[in-house]
Amino acid sequence: MEKYGLIGFPLGHSFSISYFNQKFHDEDIDAVYENFEIPNIDNLSEVLDSNPELRGLNVTIPYKEKVLPFLDSISPEARAIGAVNVIRVTHQGKDIKLKGYNSDVIGFTKSIEPMLDKKWHKKALVLGTGGASKAIDYGLRNLGLETVFVSRYEKEGTIRYQDITPEVIKEYNVIVNCTPIGMYPKTEECPLLPYEAMDSHTILYDLIYNPDETLFMKRGAQYGAQTKNGLEMLLLQAFASWEFWHEK
């Protein structure tokens, strides 16, 4: 039996395990998907050594960037993004070879593209500076948008939340939340933004999918913003993961 899994910490919020095990059951695939909650990326070698039937991994917070030094090869797209969330595991005799990919950008661009109107949507704010935000930034720029990262701290190439004025919201009217702010169980939290400056041309896209509607989405919707959560992106990512694991 083949095995696939997810590495990250913590993994209580994981969607992948139920999705893939249901897929295996429905399609009569002789495989299992497991969560590998590892407190340190150095524990990856233990996961690989103790699971010789492992053929693929997904990677989530906080290891999308930290996993890079462990890989034997990286797809050009993942290298350009600087983050990996899919690993293909192949066995060559006693050697294990790891190849990294990024399915975040595929899932995100396919999910947000139908919402975009080139007449109105030219600039975007990317909330957060982690591995997921890099893929989102890459995807938005591929779709022709100008992007700016938003951080809580003073960082080169970013703006801070307190510097986002109503005028910025009007100009950068596509806003993607790549942070865990508002994720269950802390559903009463949301990024600090001037929501009152939003209107029907504003798009709020939240990578969070639990809860279905975050406070970030609710507050924007009150002023007419279009909103979408990360569930469709997640499904599209899962499709892409399976393709990467079985790439010829």
Side-chain angles (χ1 to χ4, degrees):
M1 180 185 286
E2 291 186 346
K3 187 180 285 188
Y4 302 87
L6 174 68
I7 58 169
F9 191 86
L11 294 179
H13 64 283
S14 171
F15 155 93
S16 300
I17 189 167
S18 55
Y19 169 81
F20 278 108
N21 282 322
Q22 189 64 50
K23 173 185 172 69
F24 298 154
H25 177 268
D26 293 345
E27 299 180 24
D28 202 24
I29 297 169
D30 188 24
V32 65
Y33 192 100
E34 293 183 9
N35 281 349
F36 299 104
E37 192 171 69
I38 54 175
N40 190 296
I41 190 59
D42 292 329
N43 299 128
L44 175 59
S45 57
E46 294 170 29
V47 171
L48 294 167
D49 291 342
S50 56
N51 294 277
E53 64 277 47
L54 201 58
R55 295 294 177 268
L57 287 167
N58 290 119
V59 184
T60 191
I61 295 170
Y63 300 135
K64 293 184 181 187
E65 296 162 292
K66 293 176 182 176
V67 77
L68 295 176
F70 293 81
L71 306 177
D72 298 289
S73 59
I74 304 171
S75 73
E77 194 168 58
R79 188 177 295 282
I81 294 164
V84 158
N85 73 322
V86 182
I87 299 172
R88 183 181 181 187
V89 183
T90 55
H91 296 261
Q92 300 175 358
K94 292 184 179 179
D95 292 333
I96 299 172
K97 298 294 183 184
L98 306 179
K99 182 172 182 179
Y101 304 84
N102 193 299
S103 66
D104 279 338
V105 68
I106 298 168
F108 173 70
T109 52
K110 285 184 177 179
S111 182
I112 198 170
E113 191 169 19
M115 301 177 75
L116 298 173
D117 183 334
K118 289 184 179 178
K119 179 183 175 184
W120 295 106
H121 302 124
K122 302 182 190 310
K123 297 183 179 182
L125 296 177
V126 179
L127 310 185
T129 56
S133 65
K134 290 181 177 180
I136 298 315
D137 177 67
Y138 183 91
L140 288 166
R141 287 188 285 109
N142 270 3
L143 291 169
L145 280 76
E146 187 180 317
T147 60
V148 171
F149 286 106
V150 182
S151 173
R152 288 176 294 171
Y153 311 106
E154 193 90 46
K155 286 185 182 179
E156 188 178 347
T158 71
I159 63 171
R160 294 178 302 165
Y161 286 93
Q162 56 261 49
D163 299 326
I164 299 175
T165 63
E167 291 72 27
V168 171
I169 293 291
K170 294 293 185 188
E171 186 179 358
Y172 291 81
N173 57 3
V174 177
I175 306 171
V176 185
N177 179 33
C178 306
T179 77
I181 299 170
M183 183 188 289
Y184 179 84
K186 297 182 179 180
T187 57
E188 72 293 343
E189 298 178 357
C190 67
L192 297 174
L193 301 169
Y195 292 90
E196 67 281 359
M198 298 176 184
D199 58 28
S200 61
H201 297 309
T202 309
I203 292 174
L204 297 188
Y205 193 107
D206 203 327
L207 268 57
I208 292 169
Y209 54 88
N210 183 12
D212 291 338
E213 186 181 34
T214 59
L215 187 56
F216 167 70
M217 295 164 65
K218 283 179 186 173
R219 293 195 62 186
Q222 288 175 344
Y223 296 97
Q226 304 173 60
T227 66
K228 193 169 192 176
N229 71 15
L231 186 59
E232 182 185 51
M233 173 181 165
L234 211 64
L235 285 166
L236 292 165
Q237 283 175 274
F239 299 156
S241 294
W242 188 251
E243 295 297 317
F244 288 141
W245 292 332
H246 297 88
E247 192 177 66
K248 298 298 183 190

